[in-house]
Amino acid sequence: MAIPAAEIRLSQGRLTVAAVNDAFRRAGLDEDRTQTMLMTELAQRIEAFLASDQGSVEFPLQLGDAIDCRYFQATLTRPAEGETGICVLMLVDHTAQHHTERSLRREMTTDSLTGLPNRQGFGDLIESVMATGQRHAVLVIDLNRFGRLNACMGSLVGDELLITVARRVKGALRSRDSIGRIGGNEFGILMMIDGSEDEAHVLAERIDRAMRAPFRLTDYEVNVEASVGIAFNEGPDGDAEELIRHAQFAVKHAKSAGRTEIYHPQAFTIARAQFAMETALRRAIEQDGLHLAYQPICDLSTGKTVAFEALARWCDVDGQNHSPSDFIPVAEESGLIVPLGRWAVHEGLRQLAEWDRAAGGNCGVRLSVNVSAIQLQRDDIPALIESALAGAGISGDRLTLELTESAIVGDPDRVTAIMKAMKALGTTIAMDDFGTGYSSLAYLQKLPIDVLKIDRSFINGMLADRDKIAIVRAILGLAQALGMQTTAEGIEAIELGHTLAALGCTYGQGYFYARPLDPDAAWAMIADQA
Ligand code: C2E
Ligand code: CA
Ligand code: CA
């Protein structure tokens, strides 16, 4: 709605409203209000405009008090001809639009379930505190296993819990702190820091205590565990979104550590590097960027190569070689170990079949592949092995799976079932890195393990170390008693091989025999002993 402007005269820094029509009066400007702050401001604007040589100027104008306020877009123009020192003020009423925008903004920044600021609104809160220069911290509270509760009991129960949690956390806050819901199961607390950073710990502790009592919902009583991560705002030019991200990073660590964690930039840098590696590794797995190296395993009594252990190798697009000790943990952490492990089984068996074809029949060696504990948990190993063997046309008795002790600790019943299924396929099962994990004689006896691979930390320097010799003897005795074979890892000198053979160790592997080889070099060894 455009209001035809009235004429306002300016004299000595004051406005005199000469003629006013109804529309102008409705806007809240009339003859009686010429001395208000607003009119003074308007007078200054008009004065500046008249003194300038601009043809027109536009600016927003707010008229009225906080309760009854109208919003206008004001335009000052000069009359086409006529007196100098006179201008036309035009007001366009934007009040309705302003209200719509404001309620839209409120909706956009509020979580509809809890009525708390959502991530956007919480970010705005942080920004407004940042602008004041007041020291502050962000705490992120993550409800552990909330997803599971939602799935088991339904989202209505989940919603009720969230509302109750929000209320309880709010009750634990000080009056100057604020709370927002920044994710499905995450709340953010913005707290002012007046003294030391300990204040944040005290608050985290108070929240933790508040969460401990069971939550009585309409139909259920549930216990909720919450983790808390803290990030302090550093320096004057902070970024709200970054501060939230840092606190979320800390809470992720808090979850695995089981205690409140504070964000540390170094940990973040390492995690970022790991994330970059994860992205590159994912691409390498998808685009055939990995290959396998093959390290011989020898029969210590005859010196013949009886098997090759397949070891993953990754040379990235920049030509940089990464050590499996670096990328396997990243693959395990990210779940990429599942496709990586699947690839290794398929590729190793494909290679073995190729050697068989070159040899015109069974080439005389077996293949050993590493299966990570995480892959054992997440993947259907028996189905994978069965289809890979069938695909390559290799019989199960040519394959050994190397598992670590950690694979067994998790879920012994499931692992027992998997191992039995593997035995049914004829596969051999080796316990890798034996002696470094939580061995329990009880499960060793129960599980169908064929081979113990003695970790190279016991073999290395063994000849000069009575304790190591004693441990190796004990492992060899144990294996014998349980009817298992043994492989000594990390044999770097011939004397070690002789001693281990004399002590009754079945197989040996190490740099003395060969480093992990490329397929051609491995084939040369096979062909040589045929
Ligand atoms: P691992 O299964 O214990 O493999 C043996 C490691 O010892 C290999 O390191 C091998 O190069 C090294 N090694 C062999 N002989 C000697 C020796 O005489 N002296 C010394 N100092 N080291 C020797 P690599 O290839 O770097 O692999 C490291 C680990 O990465 C492996 O340890 C295994 O746990 C993991 N890994 C490698 N490939 C795969 C894979 O395809 N899947 C899974 N799940 N893990 C893999
Ligand atoms: Ca191994
Ligand atoms: Ca090993």
Side-chain angles (χ1 to χ4, degrees), residues 111-172:
D111 169 47
S112 57
L113 179 70
T114 57
L116 298 176
N118 61 13
R119 190 175 177 122
Q120 168 82 43
F122 188 66
D124 293 351
L125 277 179
I126 299 175
E127 257 164 30
S128 61
V129 170
M130 275 176 173
T132 65
Q134 156 78 43
R135 280 177 65 217
H136 57 279
V138 165
L139 279 68
V140 165
I141 304 169
D142 184 299
L143 308 183
N144 302 345
R145 296 194 310 254
F146 177 75
R148 224 167 83 190
L149 179 124
N150 232 351
C152 296
M153 301 192 173
S155 57
L156 280 182
V157 177
D159 286 355
E160 192 185 357
L161 178 67
L162 284 171
I163 293 168
T164 323
V165 167
R167 210 176 292 140
R168 211 183 264 186
V169 173
K170 219 169 170 175

Side-chain angles (χ1 to χ4, degrees), residues 11 52 56 86 113 123 147 164 172 177 202 242 246 254-255 260 268 281 291 382 410 447 456 470 492 509 514 526:
S11 97
S52 77
S56 71
I86 283 186
L113 179 70
T164 323
D177 306 330
V202 173
E242 192 174 77
H246 288 172
K255 261 178 140 168
T260 296
F268 197 59
L281 182 60
H291 61 277
L447 294 172
R456 70 166 181 270
E492 294 186 2
Q509 178 181 4
I526 297 168

Side-chain angles (χ1 to χ4, degrees), residues 41-121:
E41 188 198 318
L42 195 54
Q44 281 162 359
R45 289 237 186 211
I46 292 172
E47 205 164 16
F49 175 68
L50 290 176
S52 77
D53 50 9
Q54 287 171 291
S56 71
V57 1
E58 271 190 50
F59 52 95
L61 191 69
Q62 202 174 320
L63 298 177
D65 49 32
I67 298 159
D68 181 23
C69 190
R70 302 195 71 79
Y71 300 85
F72 297 90
Q73 183 67 13
T75 314
L76 291 174
T77 46
R78 294 174 202 282
E81 45 202 54
E83 268 180 89
T84 49
I86 283 186
C87 68
V88 175
L89 168 66
M90 187 164 81
L91 300 174
V92 180
D93 192 337
H94 281 187
T95 307
Q97 190 185 337
H98 180 90
H99 286 321
T100 317
E101 266 170 24
R102 205 168 52 183
S103 70
L104 214 64
R105 171 132 194 97
R106 197 178 304 125
E107 227 167 83
M108 272 167 53
T109 54
T110 307
D111 169 47
S112 57
L113 179 70
T114 57
L116 298 176
N118 61 13
R119 190 175 177 122
Q120 168 82 43

Side-chain angles (χ1 to χ4, degrees), residues 292 295 309-313 323-325 327-328 332 337 340-341 343-344 369-373 375 402 404 432-433 453 455-456 460 489-492 509-512 514-516:
L292 290 175
Q295 188 176 35
E309 176 174 358
L311 294 159
R313 294 291 176 264
S323 161
S325 325
F327 70 79
I328 295 289
E332 289 182 323
I337 194 69
L340 188 153
W343 165 82
V369 287
N370 293 285
V371 175
S372 141
Q375 191 184 5
E402 299 194 2
T404 54
D432 206 353
D433 306 338
K453 289 191 83 171
D455 190 70
R456 70 166 181 270
N460 191 311
E489 298 183 327
I491 300 179
E492 294 186 2
Q509 178 181 4
Y511 292 170
F512 167 68
R515 293 198 171 237

